[in-house]
């Protein structure tokens, strides 16, 4: 069917789905978000599904209960510039990982998080700008695979210099939606020759928003081989309590929005304390993000968190700087 017919069909589906349902005494008003993509000549099925999926995510982002056609997911001019910078970076070595330590309250290094950096024309592009564009365009899959390879490689280097540390790597939903994800993960682990227990995947908000069957199966397999799973930026956005129930996660990272207002904001303190308790009861290590001052750290200790990450301990640094930093701590 063509563009117009597809749109018509989707609109009819929306209308049908919206009909209220009565179950006993309850009236339910369902809604749906539909993403539509029309097959382009020579396009492979995975790419087609990815475009439809992106349109669906856009429909949700616009508030749901609507239809978005794939061609309507237009990139703004600035986003187009970022997209071409990302392509250039992928091809000419403009990508880099920086690393930021996560410290246990006892001062030992609990893990190190790998953070992607992109350079275009000698300038660094802010991740808050390029990650969303990469997600929108599907480029995040290639970028994410690159991150996995580089991150596991760094974990291997840390092992070789005698400072083995858990390495946390951010993954996006588009990566986990692909059946290739487990292959990419296995590949990275084998290439780098690191024990899976030294790798942790940080699940970002875009992923938590929609836990499909494939995503859940991929996460379960990752857990089964021994890779850790962290819920990133918990407590804001789309992350919610039911995710704690459904995800086989090993770590909970509390969003820095709660940490920045400590110790004065007693309500935030109460939330941090409660969420910490909840995470720990579920068997997770609880980490507070974005700790910048000693008084914040003291409040976090009082709240009972297991570990913290932030500029107070160390800013994200290059791989060589990290290796030196770890070695120096080892010698102390
Ligand atoms: P995130 O995973 O929550 O990473 C933590 C962010 O907080 C980093 O921002 C880090 O530089 C910043 N940060 C750390 N300590 C402090 C602090 O004390 N104060 C403040 N104000 N900020 C702090 P960054 O590097 O800009 O990364 C932003 C986001 O981009 C990450 O948030 C993550 O969601 C995403 N990202 C980064 N690398 C990757 C990647 O390889 N793959 C994917 N999918 N996403 C990535
Ligand atoms: Mg993260
Ligand atoms: Mg985070």
């Amino acid at each position: 069917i063509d563009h117009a017919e597809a749109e018509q069909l989707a609109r009819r589906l929306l209308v049908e789905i919206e009909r209220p349902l009565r179950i006993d005494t309850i009236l339910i008003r369902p809604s749906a978000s539909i993403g539509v993509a029309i097959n382009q000549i020579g396009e492979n099925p995975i790419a087609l599904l990815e475009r439809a999926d992106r349109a669906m995510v856009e429909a949700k982002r616009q508030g749901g209960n609507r239809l978005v056609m794939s061609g309507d997911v237009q990139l703004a001019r600035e986003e187009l510039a970022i997209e071409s910078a990302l392509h250039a970076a992928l091809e000419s070595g403009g990508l880099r990982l920086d690393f930021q330590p996560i410290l246990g309250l006892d001062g030992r290094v609990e893990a190190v998080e790998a953070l992607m950096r992109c350079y275009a024309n000698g300038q660094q592009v802010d991740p808050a700008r390029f990650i969303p564009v990469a997600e929108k365009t599907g480029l995040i899959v290639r970028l994410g695979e690159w991150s996995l390879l580089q991150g596991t490689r760094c974990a291997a280097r840390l092992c070789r210099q005698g400072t083995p540390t858990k390495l946390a790597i951010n993954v996006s939903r588009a990566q986990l939606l692909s059946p290739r994800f487990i292959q990419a993960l296995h590949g990275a682990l084998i290439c780098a020759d690191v024990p899976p227990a030294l790798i942790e995947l940080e699940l970002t908000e875009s992923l938590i928003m929609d836990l499909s069957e494939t995503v859940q199966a991929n996460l379960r397999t990752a857990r089964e081989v021994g890779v850790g799973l962290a819920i990133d930026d918990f407590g804001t956005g789309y992350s919610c309590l039911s995710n704690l129930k459904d995800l086989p996660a090993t770590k909970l990272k509390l969003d820095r929005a709660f940490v920045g207002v400590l110790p004065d904001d007693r309500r935030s303190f109460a939330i941090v304390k409660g969420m910490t308790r909840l995470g720990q009861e579920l068997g997770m290590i609880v980490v507070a993000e974005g700790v910048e001052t000693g008084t914040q750290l003291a409040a976090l200790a009082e709240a009972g968190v297991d570990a913290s990450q932030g500029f107070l301990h160390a800013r994200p640094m290059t791989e060589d700087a990290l290796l030196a930093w770890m070695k120096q701590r080892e010698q102390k």
Side-chain angles (χ1 to χ4, degrees):
I1 56 178
D2 64 18
H3 192 283
E5 275 177 300
E7 183 166 351
Q8 229 173 29
L9 176 64
R11 291 208 185 285
R12 267 177 49 213
L13 281 170
L14 273 180
V15 171
E16 288 302 320
I17 291 168
E18 268 174 24
R19 278 187 211 286
L21 294 169
R22 183 174 292 281
I23 296 174
D24 290 337
T25 55
I26 308 168
L27 196 65
I28 295 174
R29 296 175 193 282
S31 70
S33 300
I34 303 185
V36 182
I38 308 280
N39 186 224
Q40 291 161 355
I41 296 165
E43 187 178 29
N44 77 42
I46 305 250
L48 175 67
L49 285 174
E50 277 175 4
R51 282 199 300 120
D53 189 61
R54 238 177 289 141
M56 193 255 313
V57 171
E58 178 59 22
K60 287 191 177 185
R61 203 193 56 78
Q62 290 178 13
N65 195 20
R66 69 192 62 219
L67 150 78
V68 170
M69 304 288 292
S70 170
D72 302 341
V73 188
Q74 295 266 333
L75 294 185
R77 187 184 292 261
E78 197 216 348
E79 292 179 327
L80 283 172
I82 293 176
E83 188 191 9
S84 80
L86 283 172
H87 275 290
L90 257 173
E91 274 144 34
S92 58
L95 291 179
R96 209 179 72 195
L97 286 183
D98 272 357
F99 298 88
Q100 188 182 32
I102 299 169
L103 297 192
L105 281 199
D106 53 5
R108 91 212 127 74
V109 182
E110 200 277 324
V112 170
E113 178 173 6
L115 296 160
M116 201 190 299
R117 302 290 177 249
C118 169
Y119 292 87
N121 307 320
Q123 283 201 325
Q124 191 174 319
V125 189
D126 183 359
R129 282 168 64 220
F130 79 75
I131 296 285
V133 174
E135 289 187 330
K136 216 161 161 179
T137 55
L139 260 178
I140 194 72
V141 176
R142 280 170 66 198
L143 292 176
E145 282 179 6
W146 178 89
S147 251
L148 269 178
L149 283 168
Q150 299 300 315
T152 43
R153 237 203 44 202
C154 175
R157 279 186 78 188
L158 284 164
C159 283
R160 280 200 301 274
Q161 82 157 12
T163 53
T165 311
K166 200 160 37 175
L167 222 121
I169 301 168
N170 291 285
V171 292
S172 283
R173 177 167 171 275
Q175 282 175 271
L176 279 153
L177 261 181
S178 158
R180 270 179 39 204
F181 177 75
I182 289 298
Q183 246 172 296
L185 179 63
H186 274 305
L189 288 169
I190 291 166
C191 278
D193 193 21
V194 285
L198 283 183
I199 300 299
E200 185 169 74
L201 305 177
E202 290 203 3
L203 314 175
T204 54
E205 180 179 305
S206 65
L207 194 150
I208 307 291
M209 205 169 124
D210 182 8
L211 287 171
S212 73
E213 281 287 315
T214 322
V215 170
Q216 297 223 30
N218 278 335
L219 291 178
R220 245 177 292 144
T221 312
R223 254 327 276 141
E224 277 160 22
V225 299
V227 168
L229 298 179
I231 302 178
D232 209 351
D233 308 329
F234 185 76
T236 57
Y238 289 96
S239 49
C240 67
L241 290 179
S242 71
N243 298 137
L244 292 188
K245 188 168 69 63
D246 298 334
L247 279 171
T250 47
K251 182 183 278 181
L252 189 65
K253 296 187 79 178
L254 304 180
D255 194 90
R256 68 165 182 264
F258 300 107
V259 177
V261 292
L262 296 180
D264 300 335
D265 187 334
R266 296 317 283 177
R267 295 180 75 86
S268 289
F269 177 76
I271 292 174
V272 170
K273 200 168 158 184
M275 289 198 297
T276 300
R277 176 81 195 279
L278 182 65
Q280 289 166 344
E281 289 275 333
L282 290 167
M284 290 186 270
I285 291 177
V286 179
V287 177
E289 302 190 73
V291 51
E292 293 181 354
T293 68
T295 48
Q296 284 168 2
L297 185 62
L300 291 169
E302 195 190 330
V305 304
D306 299 298
S308 62
Q309 173 180 7
F311 297 164
L312 175 68
H313 304 309
R315 296 212 167 229
M317 56 187 111
T318 63
E319 184 166 340
D320 287 339
L322 173 77
L323 286 157
W325 188 88
M326 293 288 293
K327 195 150 208 171
Q328 195 193 356
R329 287 180 70 88
E330 179 84 358
Q331 282 158 0
K332 268 192 202 157

